[in-house]
Amino acid sequence: LPLALGGLLWSASELLDVAPVDRAVPILVVVGLLAIVRPRVETDVAAALAASVAATASVVQAVDVPTALAIHLTVAGALVTTTSLVHASRRPLAWLGGLLLAMATWVRLWDLGVDAPEAYTLPTAVALLLVGLHRMRTVPDSSSASSLAPGLALATVPSLLWVLVDDPVSLRAALLGAGCLVLVLAGVRLRWSAPLVTGALVGAAIVLRELAPYAVQTPQWVVIGAAGALLTLVGVTWERRLVELRRASAYLERLR
């Protein structure tokens, strides 16, 4: 039925001289509502196929392709998210709906010339963190690593890559470093491993990147001497360092 309705609406739009770019949205709405009313696997698959074909045919014929793509992704994401909210058996589709809405936002931002990575990643990261916090609240045995790590990684890693490659000394680096410090303090305070490990690793990478220019300017004999002294110190105190490493590992394992 969704395939038949999609073909019927497209043919009717052709007879009524509707522009190709305007034909897919009504098809998406009709087959999406049909999938919401009749939540069956065959209906969902047929609706997804009809919507994909119609949207592709409309977008490729649009004059402003990014805007048309963003509109169709938004409509599809809204319908898929609605399906996941109305029917408990379709809850996993919420991830697909969120991804479609995020892609619509990314396409629109790219079309507007926005190149800051945070504009693309932070909204999705916040959504993932809220979902992770809800899971930790409702499922007592859930760990922060499985619940919060995806959102924390999405919130920090893209900005870190930007700092490492393109903009090492900037307001972005300072804010990211401050955010890492907050994550470490929050992880210690709440006894959660995910913010502690994420903040420590990303913060350490920022510090090393900031120190790299000074290391290059340092005389080579100083660098070699410092490395030799550090290796000697580690070798002399190896047993104690190994005990400290085991204590740190045990501490992380005790965290949620």
Side-chain angles (χ1 to χ4, degrees):
L1 184 57
L3 292 173
L5 283 175
L8 176 63
L9 291 174
W10 188 275
S11 300
S13 300
E14 175 71 24
L15 293 175
L16 295 174
D17 291 330
V18 177
V21 69
D22 298 326
R23 297 177 187 176
V25 171
I27 295 175
L28 262 66
V29 173
V30 170
V31 299
L33 291 177
L34 181 61
I36 294 174
V37 174
R38 299 283 292 178
R40 302 169 61 182
V41 175
E42 55 270 26
T43 306
D44 294 343
V45 173
L49 181 59
S52 300
V53 172
T56 301
S58 290
V59 170
V60 297
Q61 300 184 66
V63 177
D64 188 357
V65 173
T67 301
L69 180 59
I71 292 174
H72 288 81
L73 287 173
T74 301
V75 174
L79 290 170
V80 173
T81 304
T82 302
T83 302
S84 68
L85 295 176
V86 173
H87 303 289
S89 60
R90 298 294 188 267
R91 288 289 188 268
L93 291 177
W95 295 102
L96 177 59
L99 177 60
L100 291 173
L101 293 174
M103 290 173 62
T105 304
W106 297 341
V107 171
R108 189 57 183 158
L109 290 172
W110 176 80
D111 186 37
L112 294 175
V114 178
D115 57 358
E118 293 81 8
Y120 297 86
T121 58
L122 284 184
T124 306
V126 171
L128 289 176
L129 288 174
L130 291 177
V131 173
L133 290 173
H134 176 71
R135 182 172 184 269
M136 292 184 67
R137 182 180 178 182
T138 56
V139 183
D141 295 335
S142 61
S143 64
S144 63
S146 60
S147 302
L148 301 180
L152 291 174
L154 186 60
T156 56
V157 173
S159 299
L160 174 64
L161 296 176
W162 199 276
V163 169
L164 295 179
V165 176
D166 187 68
D167 204 7
V169 181
S170 62
L171 178 61
R172 175 183 285 109
L175 293 176
L176 183 59
C180 291
L181 178 60
V182 172
L183 287 178
V184 171
L185 295 177
V188 174
R189 178 68 178 83
L190 300 174
R191 300 184 64 84
W192 291 353
S193 61
L196 176 60
V197 173
T198 303
L201 292 178
V202 175
I206 296 174
V207 171
L208 292 176
R209 180 62 181 88
E210 298 295 339
L211 293 178
Y214 301 100
V216 173
Q217 297 176 2
T218 304
Q220 188 174 9
W221 64 269
V222 175
V223 177
I224 296 175
L230 179 62
L231 291 175
T232 302
L233 179 62
V234 171
V236 172
T237 60
W238 173 253
E239 294 295 334
R240 188 168 63 181
R241 298 288 175 255
L242 190 59
V243 172
E244 293 176 352
L245 180 61
R246 290 173 179 171
R247 289 178 179 174
S249 300
Y251 173 75
L252 288 177
E253 289 177 358
R254 291 195 300 269
L255 299 180
R256 184 178 179 184

